[in-house]
């Protein structure tokens, strides 16, 4: 008797899509920082290069998390939760201060809450609890 592969829950795919969208948006921010570097809109070259590198790395990491989550990897779920908590911290700071913006705050909170709800749903947790022995020892 052959085993049929289980179909991934729709929440897993939707969470991966949201992570890809977040990663692409962060990638757009990195591209904007890169353009500012090339055009010369920066006051400190070293700081701007470091910020560009960090934002570009974050974009690549979040997109990679989306691929891992789509494959049902356990590590991608914890990385996704971490990223959403980072976004919520930035969102909470976006409501106040000199450059506070409600649009930025809500624009970060809404997808973060959706991804967290999806990542903690029973079906997504079950889909990402694969056997770690198989991942560590492929035969």
């Amino acid at each position: 008797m052959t085993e049929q592969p289980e179909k991934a829950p729709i929440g897993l795919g939707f969470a991966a899509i949201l992570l890809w969208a977040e990663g692409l948006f962060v990638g757009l921010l990195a591209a904007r920082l890169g353009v500012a570097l090339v055009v010369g809109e920066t006051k400190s070259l070293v700081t701007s290069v470091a910020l560009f590198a960090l934002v570009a790395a974050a974009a690549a990491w979040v997109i990679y998390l989306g691929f891992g989550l789509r494959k049902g990897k356990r590590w991608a779920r914890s990385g996704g939760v971490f990223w959403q908590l980072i976004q919520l911290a930035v969102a909470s700071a976006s409501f106040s201060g000199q450059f506070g913006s409600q649009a930025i705050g809500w624009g970060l909170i809404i997808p973060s809450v959706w991804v967290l709800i999806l990542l903690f749903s029973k079906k997504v947790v079950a889909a990402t609890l694969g056997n770690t022995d198989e991942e560590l020892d492929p035969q």
Side-chain angles (χ1 to χ4, degrees):
M1 184 184 262
T2 60
E3 273 187 45
Q4 291 185 355
E6 293 182 29
K7 189 175 179 185
I10 194 165
L12 185 69
F14 192 57
I17 288 169
L18 285 173
L19 276 174
W20 287 328
E22 291 171 354
L24 288 175
F25 183 76
V26 174
L28 290 173
L29 293 176
R32 173 64 182 106
L33 289 171
V35 168
L37 267 171
V38 172
V39 174
E41 296 177 355
T42 62
K43 292 185 180 181
S44 171
L45 180 65
V46 174
T47 302
S48 296
V49 169
L51 184 61
F52 169 74
L54 285 172
V55 174
W61 180 67
V62 173
I63 291 170
Y64 183 67
L65 285 175
F67 283 111
L69 191 63
R70 185 70 182 121
K71 292 179 182 178
K73 301 295 184 184
R74 180 184 303 197
W75 56 263
R77 194 177 76 238
S78 61
V81 169
F82 174 77
W83 179 252
Q84 301 317 309
L85 294 176
I86 295 297
Q87 282 192 162
L88 289 172
V90 171
S92 67
S94 296
F95 288 110
S96 62
Q98 182 179 1
F99 301 106
S101 170
Q102 294 239 347
I104 292 173
W106 287 111
L108 290 172
I109 287 174
I110 292 170
S112 292
V113 169
W114 271 108
V115 173
L116 285 172
I117 289 169
L118 290 169
L119 291 178
F120 284 114
S121 69
K122 288 183 181 182
K123 289 182 179 181
V124 171
V125 170
T128 56
L129 283 180
N131 189 352
T132 56
D133 292 338
E134 291 176 2
E135 291 178 8
L136 295 175
D137 187 28
Q139 295 178 3

